[in-house]
Amino acid sequence: MKIFLKKNSGAAGLRGLRGALARILPDCRPARIPGGLSVRISSPAGAGDALPRLENLPWVASAALSDYELCPLACARGPKTFSNPLDFTAARPVFIAGPCAVEEEEAYIASALALKAAGAQALRAAIFKPRSSPYAFQGLGWPGLRTIARAKKLTGLPLATEATDTRQVARLAGVCDVIQIGARNMRNYELLKEAARSGRAVLLKRGMRATLREWLLSAEYLLKYGAKKLVLCERGDSLSIPGRPRLDLEIMAAAKKLTGLPVLADPSHAARDRAVAAALAVKALRAGADGLLIEASLDPLTALIDGRQTVSIETFRLLAAKFPCKSRI
Ligand code: PEP
Ligand code: MN
């Protein structure tokens, strides 16, 4: 942590800060840096409590944690700790594919089988959909659980499903292998805690316009509350400028470098168009994504939601075939 003093605080300010540090963080050994003090933090909990108290001191201009201090739990884990249900240790990227939402049962099963044959290692299996519009299809809800359980049995593939409410988590975790925290819920801390306690792997999307710091602190919640397997997913920001890249591949790379966790890209929601989604998928994999969470199905043209950005099985098959080996950041 670095603490900077106000310009006119002088030697008295420095003394005052040292005295306050001795009370607030008694074990720390502050070192002088230009303009203030640098302090090594041994526990994230201590740092979390100390920061607002230090910022509140009359001589302090600012206090900030470094990125490494922000994600000490995540940093302590390497990519090798994440194995089943998705194996990120293998040399090839992981593809989680399926329609945006589960709709009609037989159509979903047919897509699931076709996606497996085309190279998917896990299925998107959303039965609860958080939608910006209250009038849009919100997912099948619990009646869809039977459908995704059947797809899992028939394909043998693990399921990734989104939980939108703490009350859904335990029941979803009974069937699904990965609990997805969607962009809108990245800052829903009670949901993060519940997902972490589920015992299932958790996929955490970056919230729309969330900073790296906010994203990693949400990851930190998951690790603190017990998630043993965690994967991050960059999905872009909803406000995109036409012609500009719509996934933040820099944030994706930084998250990967800082945490050592696997980081996927979701090219679908950033694209809003299936040709753009396919192009973004290639770009993200070339930039070092550990895999994709991608909307793909047998019949995107009849989908109730997000059909526009859903790629065909053939497009998905070509994509998966193009990346048999992981490219590195
Ligand atoms: C999704 O993956 O189905 C989804 C709703 O995405 P996001 O949370 O990124 O909007
Ligand atoms: Mn979607």
PDB file of all heavy atoms in Angstrom, residues 194-230:
ATOM      1  N   GLU A 194     -22.878 -16.759  -2.064  1.00  0.00           N
ATOM      2  CA  GLU A 194     -23.661 -17.997  -2.171  1.00  0.00           C
ATOM      3  C   GLU A 194     -23.079 -18.919  -3.247  1.00  0.00           C
ATOM      4  O   GLU A 194     -22.966 -20.130  -3.047  1.00  0.00           O
ATOM      5  CB  GLU A 194     -25.118 -17.628  -2.503  1.00  0.00           C
ATOM      6  CG  GLU A 194     -26.132 -18.703  -2.247  1.00  0.00           C
ATOM      7  CD  GLU A 194     -26.263 -19.103  -0.784  1.00  0.00           C
ATOM      8  OE1 GLU A 194     -25.841 -18.336   0.098  1.00  0.00           O
ATOM      9  OE2 GLU A 194     -26.770 -20.213  -0.546  1.00  0.00           O
ATOM     10  N   ALA A 195     -22.690 -18.340  -4.370  1.00  0.00           N
ATOM     11  CA  ALA A 195     -22.094 -19.145  -5.444  1.00  0.00           C
ATOM     12  C   ALA A 195     -20.782 -19.761  -4.955  1.00  0.00           C
ATOM     13  O   ALA A 195     -20.476 -20.925  -5.234  1.00  0.00           O
ATOM     14  CB  ALA A 195     -21.849 -18.279  -6.667  1.00  0.00           C
ATOM     15  N   ALA A 196     -20.026 -18.980  -4.189  1.00  0.00           N
ATOM     16  CA  ALA A 196     -18.741 -19.475  -3.686  1.00  0.00           C
ATOM     17  C   ALA A 196     -18.934 -20.671  -2.764  1.00  0.00           C
ATOM     18  O   ALA A 196     -18.147 -21.610  -2.771  1.00  0.00           O
ATOM     19  CB  ALA A 196     -18.028 -18.354  -2.936  1.00  0.00           C
ATOM     20  N   ARG A 197     -20.026 -20.632  -1.988  1.00  0.00           N
ATOM     21  CA  ARG A 197     -20.266 -21.707  -1.019  1.00  0.00           C
ATOM     22  C   ARG A 197     -20.879 -22.943  -1.672  1.00  0.00           C
ATOM     23  O   ARG A 197     -21.060 -23.962  -1.014  1.00  0.00           O
ATOM     24  CB  ARG A 197     -21.246 -21.217   0.066  1.00  0.00           C
ATOM     25  CG  ARG A 197     -20.702 -20.107   0.942  1.00  0.00           C
ATOM     26  CD  ARG A 197     -21.716 -19.844   2.064  1.00  0.00           C
ATOM     27  NE  ARG A 197     -21.452 -18.581   2.721  1.00  0.00           N
ATOM     28  CZ  ARG A 197     -22.241 -17.500   2.631  1.00  0.00           C
ATOM     29  NH1 ARG A 197     -23.353 -17.532   1.923  1.00  0.00           N
ATOM     30  NH2 ARG A 197     -21.919 -16.387   3.256  1.00  0.00           N
ATOM     31  N   SER A 198     -21.241 -22.852  -2.952  1.00  0.00           N
ATOM     32  CA  SER A 198     -21.982 -23.954  -3.593  1.00  0.00           C
ATOM     33  C   SER A 198     -21.127 -25.194  -3.796  1.00  0.00           C
ATOM     34  O   SER A 198     -21.640 -26.278  -4.010  1.00  0.00           O
ATOM     35  CB  SER A 198     -22.520 -23.499  -4.955  1.00  0.00           C
ATOM     36  OG  SER A 198     -21.427 -23.373  -5.872  1.00  0.00           O
ATOM     37  N   GLY A 199     -19.815 -25.028  -3.762  1.00  0.00           N
ATOM     38  CA  GLY A 199     -18.951 -26.187  -4.008  1.00  0.00           C
ATOM     39  C   GLY A 199     -18.703 -26.405  -5.502  1.00  0.00           C
ATOM     40  O   GLY A 199     -17.889 -27.233  -5.901  1.00  0.00           O
ATOM     41  N   ARG A 200     -19.409 -25.658  -6.349  1.00  0.00           N
ATOM     42  CA  ARG A 200     -19.219 -25.777  -7.803  1.00  0.00           C
ATOM     43  C   ARG A 200     -18.202 -24.736  -8.286  1.00  0.00           C
ATOM     44  O   ARG A 200     -17.946 -23.739  -7.610  1.00  0.00           O
ATOM     45  CB  ARG A 200     -20.551 -25.551  -8.522  1.00  0.00           C
ATOM     46  CG  ARG A 200     -21.558 -26.645  -8.291  1.00  0.00           C
ATOM     47  CD  ARG A 200     -21.062 -27.968  -8.836  1.00  0.00           C
ATOM     48  NE  ARG A 200     -22.134 -28.954  -8.888  1.00  0.00           N
ATOM     49  CZ  ARG A 200     -22.000 -30.158  -9.429  1.00  0.00           C
ATOM     50  NH1 ARG A 200     -20.846 -30.537  -9.945  1.00  0.00           N
ATOM     51  NH2 ARG A 200     -23.002 -31.005  -9.442  1.00  0.00           N
ATOM     52  N   ALA A 201     -17.693 -24.982  -9.471  1.00  0.00           N
ATOM     53  CA  ALA A 201     -16.828 -23.978 -10.099  1.00  0.00           C
ATOM     54  C   ALA A 201     -17.667 -22.724 -10.367  1.00  0.00           C
ATOM     55  O   ALA A 201     -18.874 -22.821 -10.599  1.00  0.00           O
ATOM     56  CB  ALA A 201     -16.274 -24.524 -11.406  1.00  0.00           C
ATOM     57  N   VAL A 202     -17.042 -21.574 -10.334  1.00  0.00           N
ATOM     58  CA  VAL A 202     -17.771 -20.330 -10.610  1.00  0.00           C
ATOM     59  C   VAL A 202     -17.112 -19.609 -11.779  1.00  0.00           C
ATOM     60  O   VAL A 202     -15.885 -19.520 -11.860  1.00  0.00           O
ATOM     61  CB  VAL A 202     -17.786 -19.399  -9.370  1.00  0.00           C
ATOM     62  CG1 VAL A 202     -18.592 -18.134  -9.656  1.00  0.00           C
ATOM     63  CG2 VAL A 202     -18.361 -20.118  -8.150  1.00  0.00           C
ATOM     64  N   LEU A 203     -17.960 -19.149 -12.695  1.00  0.00           N
ATOM     65  CA  LEU A 203     -17.489 -18.342 -13.830  1.00  0.00           C
ATOM     66  C   LEU A 203     -17.945 -16.909 -13.571  1.00  0.00           C
ATOM     67  O   LEU A 203     -19.143 -16.658 -13.448  1.00  0.00           O
ATOM     68  CB  LEU A 203     -18.085 -18.895 -15.127  1.00  0.00           C
ATOM     69  CG  LEU A 203     -17.664 -18.248 -16.444  1.00  0.00           C
ATOM     70  CD1 LEU A 203     -17.838 -19.250 -17.584  1.00  0.00           C
ATOM     71  CD2 LEU A 203     -18.434 -16.992 -16.778  1.00  0.00           C
ATOM     72  N   LEU A 204     -16.991 -16.009 -13.448  1.00  0.00           N
ATOM     73  CA  LEU A 204     -17.314 -14.617 -13.112  1.00  0.00           C
ATOM     74  C   LEU A 204     -17.067 -13.710 -14.311  1.00  0.00           C
ATOM     75  O   LEU A 204     -15.929 -13.504 -14.738  1.00  0.00           O
ATOM     76  CB  LEU A 204     -16.446 -14.159 -11.938  1.00  0.00           C
ATOM     77  CG  LEU A 204     -16.583 -12.688 -11.546  1.00  0.00           C
ATOM     78  CD1 LEU A 204     -17.967 -12.388 -10.976  1.00  0.00           C
ATOM     79  CD2 LEU A 204     -15.505 -12.294 -10.527  1.00  0.00           C
ATOM     80  N   LYS A 205     -18.156 -13.143 -14.830  1.00  0.00           N
ATOM     81  CA  LYS A 205     -17.990 -12.185 -15.927  1.00  0.00           C
ATOM     82  C   LYS A 205     -17.579 -10.829 -15.387  1.00  0.00           C
ATOM     83  O   LYS A 205     -17.921 -10.480 -14.249  1.00  0.00           O
ATOM     84  CB  LYS A 205     -19.309 -12.046 -16.671  1.00  0.00           C
ATOM     85  CG  LYS A 205     -19.665 -13.271 -17.483  1.00  0.00           C
ATOM     86  CD  LYS A 205     -20.513 -12.834 -18.637  1.00  0.00           C
ATOM     87  CE  LYS A 205     -20.890 -13.997 -19.504  1.00  0.00           C
ATOM     88  NZ  LYS A 205     -21.688 -13.545 -20.646  1.00  0.00           N
ATOM     89  N   ARG A 206     -16.877 -10.078 -16.234  1.00  0.00           N
ATOM     90  CA  ARG A 206     -16.614  -8.688 -15.868  1.00  0.00           C
ATOM     91  C   ARG A 206     -17.891  -7.895 -16.101  1.00  0.00           C
ATOM     92  O   ARG A 206     -18.518  -8.032 -17.158  1.00  0.00           O
ATOM     93  CB  ARG A 206     -15.480  -8.094 -16.717  1.00  0.00           C
ATOM     94  CG  ARG A 206     -15.119  -6.662 -16.309  1.00  0.00           C
ATOM     95  CD  ARG A 206     -13.894  -6.156 -17.044  1.00  0.00           C
ATOM     96  NE  ARG A 206     -14.124  -5.932 -18.455  1.00  0.00           N
ATOM     97  CZ  ARG A 206     -14.645  -4.822 -18.983  1.00  0.00           C
ATOM     98  NH1 ARG A 206     -14.993  -3.823 -18.207  1.00  0.00           N
ATOM     99  NH2 ARG A 206     -14.819  -4.716 -20.285  1.00  0.00           N
ATOM    100  N   GLY A 207     -18.296  -7.134 -15.120  1.00  0.00           N
ATOM    101  CA  GLY A 207     -19.495  -6.322 -15.273  1.00  0.00           C
ATOM    102  C   GLY A 207     -19.287  -5.262 -16.343  1.00  0.00           C
ATOM    103  O   GLY A 207     -18.154  -4.877 -16.654  1.00  0.00           O
ATOM    104  N   MET A 208     -20.389  -4.780 -16.877  1.00  0.00           N
ATOM    105  CA  MET A 208     -20.276  -3.738 -17.896  1.00  0.00           C
ATOM    106  C   MET A 208     -19.591  -2.521 -17.291  1.00  0.00           C
ATOM    107  O   MET A 208     -20.000  -2.025 -16.236  1.00  0.00           O
ATOM    108  CB  MET A 208     -21.661  -3.327 -18.379  1.00  0.00           C
ATOM    109  CG  MET A 208     -22.380  -4.444 -19.083  1.00  0.00           C
ATOM    110  SD  MET A 208     -24.134  -4.174 -18.985  1.00  0.00           S
ATOM    111  CE  MET A 208     -24.769  -5.790 -19.400  1.00  0.00           C
ATOM    112  N   ARG A 209     -18.580  -2.066 -17.961  1.00  0.00           N
ATOM    113  CA  ARG A 209     -17.783  -0.902 -17.547  1.00  0.00           C
ATOM    114  C   ARG A 209     -17.146  -1.058 -16.156  1.00  0.00           C
ATOM    115  O   ARG A 209     -16.813  -0.075 -15.507  1.00  0.00           O
ATOM    116  CB  ARG A 209     -18.616   0.376 -17.634  1.00  0.00           C
ATOM    117  CG  ARG A 209     -18.987   0.634 -19.090  1.00  0.00           C
ATOM    118  CD  ARG A 209     -19.214   2.078 -19.341  1.00  0.00           C
ATOM    119  NE  ARG A 209     -20.629   2.375 -19.245  1.00  0.00           N
ATOM    120  CZ  ARG A 209     -21.116   3.601 -19.222  1.00  0.00           C
ATOM    121  NH1 ARG A 209     -20.331   4.622 -19.267  1.00  0.00           N
ATOM    122  NH2 ARG A 209     -22.392   3.783 -19.171  1.00  0.00           N
ATOM    123  N   ALA A 210     -16.999  -2.302 -15.707  1.00  0.00           N
ATOM    124  CA  ALA A 210     -16.293  -2.510 -14.433  1.00  0.00           C
ATOM    125  C   ALA A 210     -14.796  -2.398 -14.684  1.00  0.00           C
ATOM    126  O   ALA A 210     -14.285  -2.826 -15.728  1.00  0.00           O
ATOM    127  CB  ALA A 210     -16.616  -3.892 -13.872  1.00  0.00           C
ATOM    128  N   THR A 211     -14.102  -1.824 -13.718  1.00  0.00           N
ATOM    129  CA  THR A 211     -12.655  -1.717 -13.834  1.00  0.00           C
ATOM    130  C   THR A 211     -12.026  -3.057 -13.472  1.00  0.00           C
ATOM    131  O   THR A 211     -12.670  -3.930 -12.870  1.00  0.00           O
ATOM    132  CB  THR A 211     -12.110  -0.661 -12.858  1.00  0.00           C
ATOM    133  OG1 THR A 211     -12.437  -1.091 -11.525  1.00  0.00           O
ATOM    134  CG2 THR A 211     -12.717   0.705 -13.119  1.00  0.00           C
ATOM    135  N   LEU A 212     -10.736  -3.169 -13.789  1.00  0.00           N
ATOM    136  CA  LEU A 212      -9.993  -4.376 -13.417  1.00  0.00           C
ATOM    137  C   LEU A 212     -10.068  -4.581 -11.908  1.00  0.00           C
ATOM    138  O   LEU A 212     -10.292  -5.684 -11.419  1.00  0.00           O
ATOM    139  CB  LEU A 212      -8.527  -4.208 -13.857  1.00  0.00           C
ATOM    140  CG  LEU A 212      -7.587  -5.351 -13.485  1.00  0.00           C
ATOM    141  CD1 LEU A 212      -7.983  -6.647 -14.173  1.00  0.00           C
ATOM    142  CD2 LEU A 212      -6.135  -4.990 -13.830  1.00  0.00           C
ATOM    143  N   ARG A 213      -9.935  -3.486 -11.170  1.00  0.00           N
ATOM    144  CA  ARG A 213      -9.958  -3.552  -9.708  1.00  0.00           C
ATOM    145  C   ARG A 213     -11.294  -4.115  -9.195  1.00  0.00           C
ATOM    146  O   ARG A 213     -11.332  -5.011  -8.363  1.00  0.00           O
ATOM    147  CB  ARG A 213      -9.728  -2.128  -9.179  1.00  0.00           C
ATOM    148  CG  ARG A 213      -9.735  -2.002  -7.697  1.00  0.00           C
ATOM    149  CD  ARG A 213      -9.336  -0.582  -7.285  1.00  0.00           C
ATOM    150  NE  ARG A 213      -9.013  -0.563  -5.881  1.00  0.00           N
ATOM    151  CZ  ARG A 213      -9.914  -0.387  -4.925  1.00  0.00           C
ATOM    152  NH1 ARG A 213     -11.180  -0.198  -5.230  1.00  0.00           N
ATOM    153  NH2 ARG A 213      -9.541  -0.415  -3.659  1.00  0.00           N
ATOM    154  N   GLU A 214     -12.397  -3.589  -9.741  1.00  0.00           N
ATOM    155  CA  GLU A 214     -13.713  -4.067  -9.295  1.00  0.00           C
ATOM    156  C   GLU A 214     -13.910  -5.544  -9.637  1.00  0.00           C
ATOM    157  O   GLU A 214     -14.448  -6.313  -8.849  1.00  0.00           O
ATOM    158  CB  GLU A 214     -14.817  -3.251  -9.977  1.00  0.00           C
ATOM    159  CG  GLU A 214     -14.914  -1.824  -9.502  1.00  0.00           C
ATOM    160  CD  GLU A 214     -15.896  -1.026 -10.349  1.00  0.00           C
ATOM    161  OE1 GLU A 214     -15.767  -1.046 -11.597  1.00  0.00           O
ATOM    162  OE2 GLU A 214     -16.769  -0.383  -9.779  1.00  0.00           O
ATOM    163  N   TRP A 215     -13.454  -5.916 -10.817  1.00  0.00           N
ATOM    164  CA  TRP A 215     -13.616  -7.306 -11.271  1.00  0.00           C
ATOM    165  C   TRP A 215     -12.823  -8.248 -10.346  1.00  0.00           C
ATOM    166  O   TRP A 215     -13.338  -9.255  -9.866  1.00  0.00           O
ATOM    167  CB  TRP A 215     -13.109  -7.395 -12.713  1.00  0.00           C
ATOM    168  CG  TRP A 215     -13.404  -8.648 -13.465  1.00  0.00           C
ATOM    169  CD1 TRP A 215     -14.356  -9.589 -13.181  1.00  0.00           C
ATOM    170  CD2 TRP A 215     -12.747  -9.085 -14.666  1.00  0.00           C
ATOM    171  NE1 TRP A 215     -14.334 -10.577 -14.140  1.00  0.00           N
ATOM    172  CE2 TRP A 215     -13.353 -10.286 -15.047  1.00  0.00           C
ATOM    173  CE3 TRP A 215     -11.718  -8.566 -15.442  1.00  0.00           C
ATOM    174  CZ2 TRP A 215     -12.955 -10.999 -16.193  1.00  0.00           C
ATOM    175  CZ3 TRP A 215     -11.319  -9.265 -16.580  1.00  0.00           C
ATOM    176  CH2 TRP A 215     -11.926 -10.462 -16.949  1.00  0.00           C
ATOM    177  N   LEU A 216     -11.587  -7.873 -10.081  1.00  0.00           N
ATOM    178  CA  LEU A 216     -10.750  -8.743  -9.253  1.00  0.00           C
ATOM    179  C   LEU A 216     -11.223  -8.773  -7.799  1.00  0.00           C
ATOM    180  O   LEU A 216     -11.087  -9.793  -7.117  1.00  0.00           O
ATOM    181  CB  LEU A 216      -9.282  -8.318  -9.332  1.00  0.00           C
ATOM    182  CG  LEU A 216      -8.642  -8.460 -10.710  1.00  0.00           C
ATOM    183  CD1 LEU A 216      -7.154  -8.185 -10.644  1.00  0.00           C
ATOM    184  CD2 LEU A 216      -8.896  -9.840 -11.314  1.00  0.00           C
ATOM    185  N   LEU A 217     -11.796  -7.678  -7.340  1.00  0.00           N
ATOM    186  CA  LEU A 217     -12.320  -7.714  -5.964  1.00  0.00           C
ATOM    187  C   LEU A 217     -13.542  -8.635  -5.884  1.00  0.00           C
ATOM    188  O   LEU A 217     -13.753  -9.310  -4.876  1.00  0.00           O
ATOM    189  CB  LEU A 217     -12.651  -6.303  -5.474  1.00  0.00           C
ATOM    190  CG  LEU A 217     -11.407  -5.488  -5.091  1.00  0.00           C
ATOM    191  CD1 LEU A 217     -11.784  -4.046  -4.757  1.00  0.00           C
ATOM    192  CD2 LEU A 217     -10.660  -6.105  -3.906  1.00  0.00           C
ATOM    193  N   SER A 218     -14.325  -8.690  -6.959  1.00  0.00           N
ATOM    194  CA  SER A 218     -15.437  -9.642  -6.963  1.00  0.00           C
ATOM    195  C   SER A 218     -14.893 -11.076  -6.985  1.00  0.00           C
ATOM    196  O   SER A 218     -15.440 -11.967  -6.325  1.00  0.00           O
ATOM    197  CB  SER A 218     -16.355  -9.399  -8.164  1.00  0.00           C
ATOM    198  OG  SER A 218     -17.054  -8.192  -7.963  1.00  0.00           O
ATOM    199  N   ALA A 219     -13.817 -11.274  -7.724  1.00  0.00           N
ATOM    200  CA  ALA A 219     -13.161 -12.605  -7.718  1.00  0.00           C
ATOM    201  C   ALA A 219     -12.674 -12.925  -6.309  1.00  0.00           C
ATOM    202  O   ALA A 219     -12.768 -14.055  -5.827  1.00  0.00           O
ATOM    203  CB  ALA A 219     -11.996 -12.616  -8.700  1.00  0.00           C
ATOM    204  N   GLU A 220     -12.182 -11.889  -5.658  1.00  0.00           N
ATOM    205  CA  GLU A 220     -11.676 -12.043  -4.288  1.00  0.00           C
ATOM    206  C   GLU A 220     -12.798 -12.489  -3.344  1.00  0.00           C
ATOM    207  O   GLU A 220     -12.590 -13.324  -2.470  1.00  0.00           O
ATOM    208  CB  GLU A 220     -11.113 -10.686  -3.868  1.00  0.00           C
ATOM    209  CG  GLU A 220     -10.174 -10.700  -2.726  1.00  0.00           C
ATOM    210  CD  GLU A 220      -8.830 -11.328  -3.055  1.00  0.00           C
ATOM    211  OE1 GLU A 220      -8.395 -11.304  -4.208  1.00  0.00           O
ATOM    212  OE2 GLU A 220      -8.228 -11.858  -2.122  1.00  0.00           O
ATOM    213  N   TYR A 221     -14.009 -11.927  -3.545  1.00  0.00           N
ATOM    214  CA  TYR A 221     -15.166 -12.381  -2.753  1.00  0.00           C
ATOM    215  C   TYR A 221     -15.356 -13.886  -2.922  1.00  0.00           C
ATOM    216  O   TYR A 221     -15.541 -14.622  -1.965  1.00  0.00           O
ATOM    217  CB  TYR A 221     -16.454 -11.700  -3.246  1.00  0.00           C
ATOM    218  CG  TYR A 221     -16.875 -10.503  -2.424  1.00  0.00           C
ATOM    219  CD1 TYR A 221     -16.502  -9.225  -2.798  1.00  0.00           C
ATOM    220  CD2 TYR A 221     -17.644 -10.662  -1.276  1.00  0.00           C
ATOM    221  CE1 TYR A 221     -16.883  -8.123  -2.060  1.00  0.00           C
ATOM    222  CE2 TYR A 221     -18.033  -9.563  -0.531  1.00  0.00           C
ATOM    223  CZ  TYR A 221     -17.650  -8.306  -0.921  1.00  0.00           C
ATOM    224  OH  TYR A 221     -18.029  -7.221  -0.183  1.00  0.00           O
ATOM    225  N   LEU A 222     -15.317 -14.318  -4.166  1.00  0.00           N
ATOM    226  CA  LEU A 222     -15.574 -15.742  -4.429  1.00  0.00           C
ATOM    227  C   LEU A 222     -14.537 -16.615  -3.741  1.00  0.00           C
ATOM    228  O   LEU A 222     -14.865 -17.622  -3.115  1.00  0.00           O
ATOM    229  CB  LEU A 222     -15.566 -15.996  -5.948  1.00  0.00           C
ATOM    230  CG  LEU A 222     -16.785 -15.412  -6.674  1.00  0.00           C
ATOM    231  CD1 LEU A 222     -16.553 -15.342  -8.169  1.00  0.00           C
ATOM    232  CD2 LEU A 222     -18.029 -16.254  -6.364  1.00  0.00           C
ATOM    233  N   LEU A 223     -13.283 -16.199  -3.822  1.00  0.00           N
ATOM    234  CA  LEU A 223     -12.221 -17.011  -3.211  1.00  0.00           C
ATOM    235  C   LEU A 223     -12.323 -16.962  -1.689  1.00  0.00           C
ATOM    236  O   LEU A 223     -12.170 -17.968  -1.019  1.00  0.00           O
ATOM    237  CB  LEU A 223     -10.859 -16.530  -3.704  1.00  0.00           C
ATOM    238  CG  LEU A 223     -10.648 -16.759  -5.208  1.00  0.00           C
ATOM    239  CD1 LEU A 223      -9.432 -16.005  -5.698  1.00  0.00           C
ATOM    240  CD2 LEU A 223     -10.529 -18.243  -5.531  1.00  0.00           C
ATOM    241  N   LYS A 224     -12.623 -15.778  -1.170  1.00  0.00           N
ATOM    242  CA  LYS A 224     -12.722 -15.649   0.291  1.00  0.00           C
ATOM    243  C   LYS A 224     -13.851 -16.522   0.842  1.00  0.00           C
ATOM    244  O   LYS A 224     -13.723 -17.090   1.913  1.00  0.00           O
ATOM    245  CB  LYS A 224     -12.956 -14.183   0.662  1.00  0.00           C
ATOM    246  CG  LYS A 224     -13.163 -13.982   2.155  1.00  0.00           C
ATOM    247  CD  LYS A 224     -13.090 -12.532   2.549  1.00  0.00           C
ATOM    248  CE  LYS A 224     -13.012 -12.419   4.051  1.00  0.00           C
ATOM    249  NZ  LYS A 224     -14.191 -12.148   4.744  1.00  0.00           N
ATOM    250  N   TYR A 225     -14.957 -16.616   0.109  1.00  0.00           N
ATOM    251  CA  TYR A 225     -16.099 -17.371   0.618  1.00  0.00           C
ATOM    252  C   TYR A 225     -16.109 -18.828   0.151  1.00  0.00           C
ATOM    253  O   TYR A 225     -17.122 -19.492   0.240  1.00  0.00           O
ATOM    254  CB  TYR A 225     -17.411 -16.647   0.292  1.00  0.00           C
ATOM    255  CG  TYR A 225     -17.564 -15.458   1.217  1.00  0.00           C
ATOM    256  CD1 TYR A 225     -17.028 -14.221   0.891  1.00  0.00           C
ATOM    257  CD2 TYR A 225     -18.167 -15.598   2.468  1.00  0.00           C
ATOM    258  CE1 TYR A 225     -17.106 -13.149   1.770  1.00  0.00           C
ATOM    259  CE2 TYR A 225     -18.245 -14.538   3.353  1.00  0.00           C
ATOM    260  CZ  TYR A 225     -17.712 -13.313   2.998  1.00  0.00           C
ATOM    261  OH  TYR A 225     -17.777 -12.263   3.879  1.00  0.00           O
ATOM    262  N   GLY A 226     -15.000 -19.310  -0.371  1.00  0.00           N
ATOM    263  CA  GLY A 226     -14.877 -20.760  -0.519  1.00  0.00           C
ATOM    264  C   GLY A 226     -14.800 -21.319  -1.920  1.00  0.00           C
ATOM    265  O   GLY A 226     -14.702 -22.535  -2.073  1.00  0.00           O
ATOM    266  N   ALA A 227     -14.880 -20.465  -2.957  1.00  0.00           N
ATOM    267  CA  ALA A 227     -14.796 -21.042  -4.311  1.00  0.00           C
ATOM    268  C   ALA A 227     -13.414 -21.650  -4.501  1.00  0.00           C
ATOM    269  O   ALA A 227     -12.405 -20.998  -4.253  1.00  0.00           O
ATOM    270  CB  ALA A 227     -15.050 -19.964  -5.355  1.00  0.00           C
ATOM    271  N   LYS A 228     -13.394 -22.899  -4.924  1.00  0.00           N
ATOM    272  CA  LYS A 228     -12.108 -23.569  -5.125  1.00  0.00           C
ATOM    273  C   LYS A 228     -11.694 -23.518  -6.586  1.00  0.00           C
ATOM    274  O   LYS A 228     -10.541 -23.643  -6.930  1.00  0.00           O
ATOM    275  CB  LYS A 228     -12.197 -25.038  -4.696  1.00  0.00           C
ATOM    276  CG  LYS A 228     -12.500 -25.217  -3.207  1.00  0.00           C
ATOM    277  CD  LYS A 228     -11.220 -25.053  -2.393  1.00  0.00           C
ATOM    278  CE  LYS A 228     -11.444 -25.303  -0.916  1.00  0.00           C
ATOM    279  NZ  LYS A 228     -12.302 -24.307  -0.274  1.00  0.00           N
ATOM    280  N   LYS A 229     -12.716 -23.398  -7.446  1.00  0.00           N
ATOM    281  CA  LYS A 229     -12.438 -23.351  -8.883  1.00  0.00           C
ATOM    282  C   LYS A 229     -13.098 -22.117  -9.441  1.00  0.00           C
ATOM    283  O   LYS A 229     -14.305 -21.941  -9.314  1.00  0.00           O
ATOM    284  CB  LYS A 229     -13.000 -24.597  -9.564  1.00  0.00           C
ATOM    285  CG  LYS A 229     -12.294 -25.862  -9.153  1.00  0.00           C
ATOM    286  CD  LYS A 229     -13.058 -27.071  -9.598  1.00  0.00           C
ATOM    287  CE  LYS A 229     -12.411 -28.316  -9.024  1.00  0.00           C
ATOM    288  NZ  LYS A 229     -13.301 -29.470  -9.167  1.00  0.00           N
ATOM    289  N   LEU A 230     -12.290 -21.282 -10.039  1.00  0.00           N
ATOM    290  CA  LEU A 230     -12.803 -19.999 -10.493  1.00  0.00           C
ATOM    291  C   LEU A 230     -12.254 -19.695 -11.872  1.00  0.00           C
ATOM    292  O   LEU A 230     -11.062 -19.894 -12.131  1.00  0.00           O
ATOM    293  CB  LEU A 230     -12.369 -18.926  -9.485  1.00  0.00           C
ATOM    294  CG  LEU A 230     -12.663 -17.471  -9.802  1.00  0.00           C
ATOM    295  CD1 LEU A 230     -14.152 -17.242 -10.027  1.00  0.00           C
ATOM    296  CD2 LEU A 230     -12.189 -16.585  -8.648  1.00  0.00           C
TER     297      LEU A 230
END
